[in-house]
Amino acid sequence: MQNQAKKPIGVFDSGYGGLTVLKEIEKQLPDYDYLYLGDNARAPYGTRSFETVYEYTLQCVKKLFDMGCPLVILACNTASAKALRNIQQKDLPLIAPEKRVLGVIRPTTEVVGKYSKTGHIGVLGTTGTITSNSYPIEIAKFYPNMVVHQEACPMWVPIVENNEIESDASDIFIRKNLENLLSKDKNIDTIILGCTHYPLLMTKIKQHLPDTIKLVSQGEIVAESLVEYLKRHDELEQKCTKGGSIDFFTTDSSENFDSAASMFYGKPVKSSHLEL
Ligand code: DGL
């Protein structure tokens, strides 16, 4: 069980993808304690219904609260798209009004205008994220004149999770989805990687795109936004302990987690199994 004196920042994902975000958060905010939770036993979330993603995410957020986290980052676009609003508006006031849960979609949409000259944006994500329309809705709040086109890439997460990144199958699906997206609008000059797994496919994606198109991945953006958030929310910031520790938990086998997790995190990972 977690040391109760420790009040880590919780970072949650359906599986491994959130590690690409944690890696960047840790670079910019190395002093805090962190607790990473991957719900690998029930991943992927990307093809699941709204109700299921909400139920699973809420359960994991509650667990992270029980383990002492005053703040939880949903480092998963699918969970941010399908569960965040309900958790923030319905659940938090009842279960933990003093705690906070943040997602990855809003910080990304807030800054996307910096990258695009044409104002035409492409978004790639899981089926759940794309059908939720969260990206076009959030982008319109900050940039009402932007044109947004989306493409669901249901095969990309399994390709990454099964370490098929260098395979021919990976080329086939990446090419197909990028062609689909670009055929919707020739003026797209910026593409958001709206899934925390996709940075692992960056090299492959670039091979199938003209150099003129910018790819936006979220890790750094989310980390910068968290830095600013903690500056603005002093009371919450004071509650997060600063011991520089990172504890990893998975709802599936920790052995399986550790061998794949290092690929996402860029360093060896030693996790513990967690029963929800
Ligand atoms: N990493 C998740 C995201 O950012 C998707 C993975 C999954 O489908 O569970 O959307």
Side-chain angles (χ1 to χ4, degrees):
M1 225 331 122
Q2 192 72 8
N3 169 6
Q4 280 302 308
K6 223 191 240 185
K7 304 276 179 226
I9 296 175
V11 179
F12 167 74
D13 182 53
S14 59
Y16 303 108
L19 292 166
T20 62
V21 177
L22 175 62
K23 188 165 70 177
E24 297 300 330
I25 292 179
E26 187 199 341
K27 265 190 216 157
Q28 296 198 34
L29 296 164
D31 297 339
Y32 293 90
D33 292 306
Y34 294 97
L35 200 162
Y36 183 87
L37 173 58
D39 190 10
N40 298 74
R42 302 185 295 193
Y45 279 16
T47 44
R48 294 192 189 274
S49 70
F50 183 95
E51 290 73 20
T52 304
V53 173
Y54 167 55
E55 184 198 320
Y56 288 178
T57 306
L58 178 60
Q59 200 182 0
C60 292
V61 166
K62 283 182 176 166
K63 191 75 187 181
L64 288 165
F65 285 169
D66 288 347
M67 294 168 91
C69 300
L71 168 66
V72 172
I73 315 292
L74 301 185
C76 173
N77 288 268
T78 311
S80 299
K82 293 187 161 191
L84 180 63
R85 184 183 299 255
N86 263 348
I87 292 178
Q88 284 176 332
Q89 296 180 355
K90 256 183 46 205
D91 301 299
L92 268 189
L94 297 174
I95 59 170
E98 72 296 352
K99 302 203 178 207
R100 289 292 172 266
V101 182
L102 303 173
V104 289
I105 295 180
R106 194 185 166 99
T108 312
T109 55
E110 213 168 345
V111 299
V112 72
K114 282 201 309 207
Y115 298 89
S116 175
K117 287 202 174 70
T118 62
H120 291 239
I121 306 283
V123 180
L124 303 168
T126 63
T127 306
T129 299
I130 299 306
T131 54
S132 76
N133 265 330
S134 296
Y135 271 97
I137 292 168
E138 287 297 319
I139 290 173
K141 289 183 190 160
F142 298 109
Y143 307 99
N145 297 323
M146 260 188 184
V147 180
V148 184
H149 292 278
Q150 308 189 88
E151 172 75 6
C153 310
M155 292 305 291
W156 290 22
V157 168
I159 284 170
V160 173
E161 295 255 333
N162 292 293
N163 202 7
E164 291 288 337
I165 296 172
E166 296 306 326
S167 70
D168 293 347
S170 150
D171 280 309
I172 290 167
F173 286 106
I174 289 173
R175 191 183 318 117
K176 177 180 145 204
N177 289 124
L178 292 176
E179 278 174 7
N180 283 350
L181 178 68
L182 295 179
S183 71
K184 293 172 191 168
D185 183 347
K186 299 283 172 250
N187 292 319
I188 291 173
D189 69 347
T190 303
I191 295 179
I192 297 176
L193 300 182
C195 171
T196 52
H197 278 66
Y198 297 174
L200 272 91
L201 296 168
M202 187 69 112
T203 311
K204 281 274 172 192
I205 299 170
K206 279 186 178 157
Q207 285 167 7
H208 294 285
L209 278 180
D211 293 343
T212 47
I213 295 186
K214 281 179 227 70
L215 285 174
V216 179
S217 72
Q218 298 175 303
E220 238 175 279
I221 293 171
V222 172
E224 278 163 19
S225 155
L226 181 59
V227 170
E228 293 309 313
Y229 183 88
L230 291 172
K231 278 188 203 157
R232 289 198 311 274
H233 296 84
D234 194 48
E235 213 182 305
L236 184 70
E237 194 279 336
Q238 295 292 321
K239 288 184 191 151
C240 303
T241 51
K242 297 176 191 70
S245 70
I246 307 185
D247 295 316
F248 298 91
F249 292 91
T250 174
T251 55
D252 205 350
S253 133
S254 59
E255 272 167 39
N256 291 351
F257 185 84
D258 294 352
S259 59
S262 56
M263 191 170 79
F264 291 77
Y265 189 51
K267 285 185 269 187
V269 169
K270 186 89 199 80
S271 68
S272 307
H273 171 75
L274 186 76
E275 284 296 325
L276 289 174

